[in-house]
Amino acid sequence: MTHYANTRNVSEATVMGIRDLVAHGSIVSVRNQEVRELLNRVTHLTEPRERCLFVPRRGNNIFAAIAETIWVVSGRNDIEWLENYLPRAGEFSDDGVIWRAAYGPRLRDWHGIDQLDEVRKMLLAETATRRAVISLFDPATDFVASKDIPCTNWLHWIVRDGKLQVNVALRSNDVIWGFSGVNAFEWSVLQEMMAYWIGVPVGSATYFASSFHLYSRHYDRANAIVAAYSGVTCYDFGVRPPPFQTEWDQFDRVLVAWFEREAQFRASPELTSNALVSVSDPLLEQTSNLLRIYNGANRGWSISRLRQELGLLPETDFAAAAYEYFSRRNPEVLDAIPQPAIRAFFEALNGHATLSVPEIGVKALKSYVKNLHREKDAAYLQAWKRRGELISILPNISRKSDRLESFIESGSQLADETVLDTAIDLFVYVLKYRLFLMELTRNSGKHELPDGAPTPYSDHCENFDVILDASDFAIPVCAYLDDQAKRIQELCRQLYVMVSIAPDAADERAAGAKLLADAALEALVTVYARSTGVPARPFVQAAPGRQSPPLRK
C-alpha cells in the first residue's frame, strides 16, 4: 500500500507525516529498536523552498541544517568540522573521522565524476531529458556492516511545465531526525542551485520513502508536536528565502571562501563583515552570517547583543528560524523585533494577533462566487433540486465533497476543474440547499432573508447574495484541509439520515445545513488562500479534534 501526502512545505509535511504514522503506522522492531512505520510513503512538496521548519516542540536546529547542507554540497565527509554544529555526528561514524557514506563525495566525486556537473550539463543540453539521475547508494561499498549506510539512494531531476522538479528515493526515512531534520532542507537547497544553473524556476519536490518511520524514543515528542502545531509559518506573512545566485563556474571558489569565512568567525565571532572573507551570494552569505551569530551566542553574547545581531539580519526565513531557535531559551529575543513581517509572524504564533484572509481577498472571493453562481444558475436553472433532497440536492453536494476528499488523498485535479473550483461549487450547492430549506421553514423566521424576499427563495440570485454576504469569510485559515473534508462528509451523512427518517423535520435539517455551510466555507477560504497566494493566518491554537491518539511504548 502506498501512503500519499500532498503538502505545501516541510512544516506541513512533517506534522502530517507524524499524524499518519500515529494513525496508520505498524509497529516494527529493527536492529532492536521499535519504530512505527509506513511503507511506500510518498510526500509531495509544492513549495520546497519553504525549507525552514516552524513546528513547535520539534526543537529544530537551523544552524545544524545549514552546516550539514553546505558541507554536503561542497563534497566533504570529515566529522571534525561537522561536529562544531552537529555534535552527535560522530555517533554515525565507524571510525570517528569521516562518514564513510557521506553524500558529499558521492555527489561531487563519484569515482572521479562530479554528478552535479553531469546532471547540470545534461539538463542544459536537453531540457526535457529523463536521464538526469544522481546515485548515492554504491553497491561496491555499501553491502557491509556499518553505522553509515546512505538513506537517500537516488535523486532524479526533471524539467516539466518549465520548472525543475526533483524526485528523491530513500530506503529509510526517519520523520524526526531525517526528513524534517535535514533531508527536505538540504535537497531543496540543491534543487534551487540546480534550477539556477540551468536557468529555470524551482518546481515541486517528491519524496518516496520505502520505510517512513518514527522511533519509539520520539513518541512523546511526536504527541507534543501534533498537539502544538497550528499551521502558521513565517511564509504566511510574506517572509521569503534568500535567493541562490552563484554561477556554476564560480561555485567551488565561493564555497572555499564560505569555509574560510566560517573559520575566521568561529575563531573570533566579534569580527565584523568588513574583516571577513567576502561571500557575495545572498543565500550563502546569509547562511554564513547565521553561523557567525550561532558561534557568538555559544561564546556568551548577552541577550541584548544577540537581539542586536538578529535585528540586523535581512527579513528572510533564515532570520525567522534563528529567532525561533534562540527564543526557546530566551523568549526576550522576540521583544520588539525590527523586521515587521517576522514580528507579525511571532505575534500570531504566540496568540497575540490575528490575521485572516484580508478584506481585499474577501471582496474578490465573494464577488467571484456570486458571479459564478449567476452563470450556473442561468445555465442549469432548477436541475440541481428537481428531484428533491435525496435524489438531486444532497447527491450534488456529496459529489463535490467526494471530489475534494479525492484531491486531498491523491493531490490530482481534474483537467477542467481545479480544487478551488470544487470548493466553490461545494459551498454554492450548500447555500442553495439552505435556501431550499428556508422555503420549507418560511414561517419560523429563522433565517437571514429580509421580509418580502422573492419566493421560491432558492430560485432568486438576490436571495443567494444575501446569505452569501451574511457568511463570515474573514475566518482563520485552517492548516488541516483533510479534517475539514472529513467533517463535511460526516455532516452530509447526517443530513442523508435526517431526510430518510424524518422528512418532515425541516427545522433540524436547516440547522444541519447551516453547520455544513460553515464547514464548506472554512474549506473554501483555506483552499482560496493557498491557491491564490493571498496571505492568510492559520489557527493559532490547534484546531478542534486535532489530538491524535497517544502513542504507546
Side-chain angles (χ1 to χ4, degrees):
M1 180 177 179
T2 298
H3 297 266
Y4 185 91
N6 185 58
T7 63
R8 172 177 167 176
N9 54 34
V10 62
S11 296
E12 185 175 271
T14 296
V15 177
M16 188 177 293
I18 292 172
R19 289 175 53 227
D20 289 349
L21 282 162
V22 172
H24 307 295
S26 300
I27 296 179
V28 181
S29 179
V30 180
R31 297 197 309 279
N32 297 319
Q33 297 184 79
E34 179 185 310
V35 299
R36 278 187 177 262
E37 178 185 66
L38 290 174
L39 294 180
N40 307 326
R41 173 71 170 194
V42 178
T43 302
H44 182 72
L45 304 178
T46 59
E47 300 293 339
R49 290 185 72 235
E50 295 185 0
R51 61 178 63 98
C52 291
L53 192 68
F54 295 99
V55 176
R57 307 300 297 273
R58 163 60 181 81
N60 189 55
N61 186 334
I62 181 61
F63 308 99
I66 287 171
E68 185 172 342
T69 297
I70 304 302
W71 181 79
V72 165
V73 298
S74 67
R76 295 179 68 159
N77 65 359
D78 53 310
I79 295 296
E80 184 178 4
W81 184 89
L82 188 59
E83 283 182 321
N84 292 307
Y85 303 98
L86 191 67
R88 60 184 179 82
E91 298 175 17
F92 304 95
S93 170
D94 292 333
D95 60 9
V97 178
I98 65 168
W99 277 358
R100 60 162 295 279
Y103 298 136
R106 297 178 184 222
L107 284 172
R108 305 301 311 276
D109 187 15
W110 182 289
H111 306 293
I113 297 173
D114 187 335
Q115 295 196 80
L116 294 189
D117 192 24
E118 293 302 318
V119 164
R120 180 189 68 88
K121 290 186 292 188
M122 187 177 294
L123 290 167
L124 285 172
E126 183 186 358
T127 303
T129 184
R130 296 170 298 193
R131 299 180 178 181
V133 174
I134 287 177
S135 295
L136 296 173
F137 185 89
D138 186 355
T141 62
D142 290 335
F143 287 114
V144 296
S146 172
K147 295 179 181 179
D148 186 17
I149 303 297
C151 294
T152 301
N153 301 133
W154 176 85
L155 304 170
H156 182 223
W157 311 86
I158 190 165
V159 177
R160 292 295 183 268
D161 299 322
K163 297 181 179 181
L164 178 66
Q165 302 175 27
V166 65
N167 300 303
V168 184
L170 307 100
R171 65 169 181 85
S172 174
N173 202 205
D174 168 23
V175 67
I176 299 294
W177 281 356
F179 178 77
S180 68
V182 71
N183 295 150
F185 187 96
E186 65 186 340
W187 300 134
S188 76
V189 170
L190 188 55
Q191 182 181 7
E192 181 172 353
M193 290 175 170
M194 187 65 70
Y196 182 81
W197 292 328
I198 66 172
V200 301
V202 173
S204 62
T206 303
Y207 290 77
F208 172 82
S210 184
S211 169
F212 185 69
H213 51 262
L214 174 71
Y215 283 98
S216 58
R217 61 177 172 267
H218 293 144
Y219 284 178
D220 290 340
R221 186 191 299 189
N223 286 326
I225 287 170
V226 171
Y229 184 62
S230 64
V232 62
T233 71
C234 71
Y235 305 107
D236 297 303
F237 294 82
V239 180
R240 307 308 303 160
F244 174 78
Q245 296 176 342
T246 297
E247 300 293 341
W248 172 257
D249 59 3
Q250 299 296 314
F251 183 53
D252 286 337
R253 181 190 63 78
V254 173
L255 286 177
V256 169
W258 190 95
F259 280 101
E260 290 177 354
R261 181 184 175 98
E262 187 276 340
Q264 285 181 288
F265 62 61
R266 185 152 46 86
S268 179
E270 303 301 325
L271 290 174
T272 64
S273 294
N274 292 335
L276 294 168
V277 172
S278 175
V279 176
S280 58
D281 181 275
L283 186 150
L284 294 173
E285 180 187 32
Q286 290 187 38
T287 57
S288 176
N289 286 340
L290 253 67
L291 295 193
R292 184 181 71 83
I293 293 173
Y294 177 79
N295 279 278
N298 286 346
R299 294 287 187 89
W301 280 356
S302 67
I303 297 300
S304 60
R305 172 67 185 278
L306 183 57
R307 287 176 57 193
Q308 178 186 12
E309 293 284 350
L310 291 171
L312 294 174
L313 292 172
E315 191 168 57
T316 66
D317 56 350
F318 287 161
Y323 273 110
E324 190 277 329
Y325 175 88
F326 288 118
S327 70
R328 292 176 214 154
R329 289 189 177 180
N330 302 290
E332 56 267 43
V333 301
L334 301 181
D335 295 341
I337 295 174
Q339 298 96 332
I342 294 177
R343 181 174 65 251
F345 160 57
F346 282 106
E347 287 174 349
L349 189 67
N350 294 313
H352 302 313
T354 58
L355 174 68
S356 54
V357 176
E359 186 60 26
I360 186 172
V362 170
K363 290 179 179 178
L365 181 53
K366 280 187 175 182
S367 176
Y368 184 78
V369 173
K370 288 178 182 179
N371 291 336
L372 184 66
H373 171 253
R374 289 181 182 276
E375 291 177 7
K376 292 196 172 186
D377 187 74
Y380 299 117
L381 299 175
Q382 314 309 319
W384 67 277
K385 65 174 182 178
R386 183 168 295 144
R387 294 175 178 83
E389 292 175 72
L390 280 177
I391 299 177
S392 291
I393 299 176
L394 286 173
N396 276 320
I397 293 172
S398 295
R399 180 166 52 88
K400 295 300 178 180
S401 176
D402 291 343
R403 191 165 291 173
L404 180 62
E405 195 165 63
S406 295
F407 166 78
I408 294 167
E409 292 175 356
S410 67
S412 62
Q413 304 183 79
L414 297 178
D416 59 346
E417 182 176 323
T418 67
V419 64
L420 180 57
D421 293 332
T422 299
I424 290 174
D425 284 347
L426 172 63
F427 182 58
V428 166
Y429 275 129
V430 177
L431 287 194
K432 291 177 78 67
Y433 182 35
R434 289 197 64 210
L435 288 169
F436 176 86
L437 292 171
M438 288 177 191
E439 296 168 11
L440 303 183
T441 60
R442 189 183 308 171
N443 295 330
S444 69
K446 296 177 181 178
H447 53 70
E448 300 93 327
L449 294 177
D451 293 339
T455 58
Y457 291 150
S458 61
D459 287 358
H460 297 275
C461 290
E462 53 263 48
N463 294 334
F464 179 91
D465 292 350
V466 167
I467 63 169
L468 177 71
D469 287 333
S471 302
D472 183 12
F473 278 65
I475 58 176
V477 176
C478 181
Y480 304 103
L481 187 59
D482 56 340
D483 278 0
Q484 293 168 337
K486 290 174 183 175
R487 175 163 172 72
I488 290 167
Q489 291 277 26
E490 174 58 21
L491 289 169
C492 285
R493 187 194 66 79
Q494 292 176 14
L495 284 164
Y496 269 107
V497 172
M498 292 166 71
V499 176
S500 299
I501 66 175
D504 295 329
D507 285 325
E508 287 79 358
R509 298 203 301 284
K514 176 62 168 67
L515 294 175
L516 180 58
D518 292 341
L521 177 58
E522 187 177 307
L524 170 56
V525 171
T526 298
V527 171
Y528 177 71
R530 296 185 181 189
S531 299
T532 62
V534 172
R537 190 15 217 118
F539 286 121
V540 173
Q541 286 79 26
R546 290 305 322 143
Q547 300 290 341
S548 294
L551 291 161
R552 300 300 179 200
K553 295 185 179 179

